[in-house]
Amino acid sequence: MNIFRLAGDLSHVVAVIILLLKIWKTRSCAGISGKSQLLFAIVYLTRYLDLFTTYVSLYNSIMKILFLSASGATLYFMYGKFRGTYDHNHDTFRIEFLLIPCGLLSLVINHEFTVMEILWTFSIYLESVAILPQLFMVSKTGEAESITSHYLFALGSYRALYLLNWIHRYIAESHYDLIAIFAGIVQTILYCDFFYLYITKVLKGKKLQLPA
Amino acid sequence: EEPSNDHDEL
């Protein structure tokens, strides 16, 4: 565990907490893509199956359980308790265009052709693109609430910090994982446009609004 | 060494 990894994990935790609090406090999931949230739930489920097979540390297990539970709660809010506030009309990204290629790619490029490894690889590929329905929704409506942009910033920062973690681990331990690194780079690149808008607008107190 | 899935990373 190095400082980048810890910062990345904390950023990830902050992101999921911001999202849950936003929905809970406003009693609304307006502006949030239920499709992205569904994809994240699939990501956590397929990656954290190793909770049952591999014990790493208490920290590791707690974090995995936290992400699974937060994701489950988010889905319950979006598709259950507050479903009336979910903005279906703007959440029109076709997730099969992400699920199918990620599934196929994980069958072809993986570390080992076993069920657990393929599911892990699938989750890494899927996570890298899971935010696309959310970004698509923001681009369709042309704006995002400030709280939603804080959520997106924290969520995007997490994988960017992991990139620093991987550089650190390569230097310090000669450990690297090309699948995770490649997907992490893709994931971070997808957020770049958003990061730019966040820094130039939201941090200056303006609403995140896309140019018409 | 074969690079592999590190179960520690989240």
Side-chain angles (χ1 to χ4, degrees):
Chain A
M1 174 76 76
N2 57 63
I3 187 72
F4 304 114
R5 165 71 199 285
L6 183 64
D9 286 351
L10 292 180
S11 177
H12 195 180
V13 170
V14 166
V16 299
I17 289 174
I18 288 177
L19 180 64
L20 279 175
L21 279 179
K22 171 218 146 48
I23 298 176
W24 184 252
K25 294 266 180 195
T26 62
R27 322 295 286 175
S28 160
C29 42
I32 302 299
S33 164
K35 294 190 173 183
S36 277
Q37 294 309 316
L38 182 65
L39 293 179
F40 282 124
I42 297 171
V43 164
Y44 296 130
L45 279 174
T46 49
R47 188 175 313 163
Y48 298 157
L49 278 178
D50 63 3
L51 263 175
F52 301 103
T53 59
T54 316
Y55 178 79
V56 181
S57 64
L58 187 62
Y59 171 85
N60 182 277
S61 299
I62 288 174
M63 291 299 244
K64 286 174 175 169
I65 292 167
L66 178 88
F67 290 127
L68 282 167
S69 339
S71 178
T74 307
L75 283 188
Y76 165 66
F77 285 161
M78 294 207 72
Y79 293 98
K81 195 170 174 65
F82 303 123
R83 67 178 173 278
T85 62
Y86 168 35
D87 191 3
H88 291 271
N89 298 335
H90 289 120
D91 195 13
T92 51
F93 196 96
R94 301 276 298 270
I95 56 173
E96 57 272 35
F97 292 152
L98 302 177
L99 286 166
I100 295 169
C102 288
L104 293 175
L105 195 61
S106 62
L107 289 173
V108 179
I109 304 176
N110 52 55
H111 292 312
E112 202 183 351
F113 202 80
T114 61
V115 173
M116 290 295 281
E117 272 298 315
I118 289 170
L119 287 175
W120 177 85
T121 312
F122 170 71
S123 85
I124 293 286
Y125 294 150
L126 186 61
E127 184 189 351
S128 70
V129 292
I131 201 60
L132 284 176
Q134 178 66 61
L135 296 176
F136 183 69
M137 193 171 178
V138 172
S139 75
K140 254 195 135 179
T141 56
E143 59 179 35
E145 286 176 67
S146 292
I147 189 72
T148 304
S149 41
H150 297 325
Y151 160 69
L152 283 170
F153 183 75
L155 192 64
S157 307
Y158 132 71
R159 223 51 176 173
L161 288 161
Y162 257 60
L163 290 180
L164 300 177
N165 159 54
W166 288 320
I167 293 170
H168 184 278
R169 288 196 70 185
Y170 181 68
I171 295 168
E173 307 163 34
S174 301
H175 173 92
Y176 66 95
D177 181 331
L178 289 178
I179 289 176
I181 292 169
F182 173 73
I185 291 172
V186 170
Q187 186 167 341
T188 305
I189 288 172
L190 292 182
Y191 282 87
C192 281
D193 187 41
F194 167 79
F195 284 153
Y196 174 77
L197 289 171
Y198 185 82
I199 291 164
T200 56
K201 295 201 168 170
V202 181
L203 289 185
K204 291 181 180 157
K206 291 183 227 162
K207 193 173 175 167
L208 191 134
Q209 230 160 1
L210 301 181
Chain B
E1 191 203 344
E2 175 87 352
S4 69
N5 157 21
D6 186 328
H7 290 270
D8 181 34
E9 288 179 344
L10 295 164

